[in-house]
Amino acid sequence: MADGDPGRGAGGRRPRENWAWPTSSLLGGLAPAARERLLALGAQVRYPADRVLMRESERTTFVLILLDGVVKATGRTHDGRDALLAVRMGGDLVGEFAGVDGRPRSATVTTCGPVAARSVTRGDFLDCMQRDPRIAHAVNASIVTKLRVANSRRIDFTGCDAATRLARVLHQIALTYGERAGEGAVIRWPITQPELATLSGAAEPTVHKALRRLRETGVVSTGYRTIRVEDLALLSSIAFDAGDADDADDAEDAGDAGAGL
């Protein structure tokens, strides 16, 4: 596409009625008529796992409406590491910041598995919002929610030790993107320990130790490309009821706390 669309992926069209989006997502929260108007934009595309869809600082302005699958947004830190900034899944918008203001991409977006989406040019995206105030309101609300979540995470981490920060990150990911399974939830997309470290504002060895303690106490278990939270209530207790504390881990992490976000 003229504005930098990464191209169509392989595969046939999946019936739209097979998709189900969380009510908290943009698509899930729209009224059916408005949703259909939004989904009529652009062209359907499919991407394989580990495909880079957008690169930080590049000047492309297309917007992706995620239909199915999970992507991660990463950014480069001052010391050259890749920091995991956010995760998006079916029902969410990706790339709307550049779609709205036309400025360079603020993050690199990579698929965490097969992804289906609709790729929309900036012109069509802006025209749709201008013509349909309900869609414009939903997009603006989605952007504000993302900013509020980012701010809340920074505030919640103030004064917490590294283990508590990790528990809060896992709890948020499990509730937002996990598949409920009994008393727990399964996160079925790959998230690495370095990515958990940047989300937690902690050094990687500290996250490794904290994750090991969570496994040993039966709170979480890990498998190939998955993390299973065995007991969400117990993880919530660890994340939010343990109280704020400063410990040796925080001293170790002081130089890294601001690098991940």
Side-chain angles (χ1 to χ4, degrees):
M1 297 178 67
D3 63 353
D5 190 325
R8 291 174 181 265
R13 182 180 179 87
R14 180 180 175 182
R16 185 178 300 170
E17 60 267 18
N18 287 350
W19 285 311
W21 301 292
T23 56
S24 59
S25 69
L26 175 71
L27 291 181
L30 279 173
R35 184 190 305 127
E36 288 301 313
R37 285 193 291 274
L38 185 61
L39 290 176
L41 300 177
Q44 187 167 314
V45 290
R46 288 183 176 274
Y47 305 108
D50 302 317
R51 171 72 65 87
V52 174
L53 307 181
M54 304 166 184
R55 292 189 183 276
E56 185 177 359
S57 299
E58 75 179 7
R59 289 189 171 275
T60 57
T61 57
F62 64 92
V63 176
L64 292 177
I65 306 169
L66 297 183
L67 303 174
D68 193 33
V70 178
V71 302
K72 63 182 179 181
T74 58
R76 298 291 281 182
T77 66
H78 67 279
D79 57 359
R81 292 185 299 164
D82 285 325
L84 179 61
L85 304 176
V87 175
R88 301 288 178 248
M89 65 186 303
D92 290 334
L93 278 183
V94 175
E96 71 272 30
F97 284 17
V100 169
D101 64 17
R103 299 181 63 183
R105 299 292 188 188
S106 59
T108 295
V109 177
T110 308
T111 61
C112 297
V115 166
R118 294 199 69 82
S119 181
V120 183
T121 66
R122 183 187 183 214
D124 286 347
F125 180 65
L126 293 177
D127 182 66
C128 176
M129 289 201 298
Q130 184 176 12
R131 291 175 178 273
D132 195 320
R134 284 167 293 188
I135 291 177
H137 175 76
V139 170
N140 290 335
S142 174
I143 292 173
V144 170
T145 296
K146 292 175 182 179
L147 296 176
R148 286 186 183 276
V149 168
N151 287 340
S152 295
R153 185 163 61 201
R154 291 183 176 93
I155 295 170
D156 286 346
F157 282 3
T158 302
C160 294
D161 61 32
T164 301
R165 295 198 298 270
L166 174 62
R168 291 183 180 183
V169 165
L170 289 173
H171 186 263
Q172 178 190 12
I173 292 174
L175 285 183
T176 307
Y177 302 108
E179 298 177 12
R180 293 303 295 265
E183 297 181 350
V186 181
I187 304 167
R188 296 190 185 279
W189 45 271
I191 182 168
T192 66
Q193 289 194 19
E195 290 170 342
L196 283 174
T198 57
L199 276 181
S200 306
E204 188 178 342
T206 303
V207 166
H208 177 75
K209 290 186 292 184
L211 191 59
R212 184 177 65 227
R213 288 196 294 267
L214 290 174
R215 285 196 299 262
E216 290 171 349
T217 54
V219 179
V220 303
S221 58
T222 56
Y224 177 67
R225 298 171 71 89
T226 64
I227 296 177
R228 182 185 182 99
V229 177
E230 302 292 348
D231 190 330
L232 278 169
L234 181 55
L235 180 60
S236 177
S237 177
I238 294 170
F240 301 104
D241 297 339
D244 295 339
D246 295 321
D247 62 7
D249 287 342
D250 282 331
E252 176 184 349
D253 299 333
D256 297 308
L261 298 173

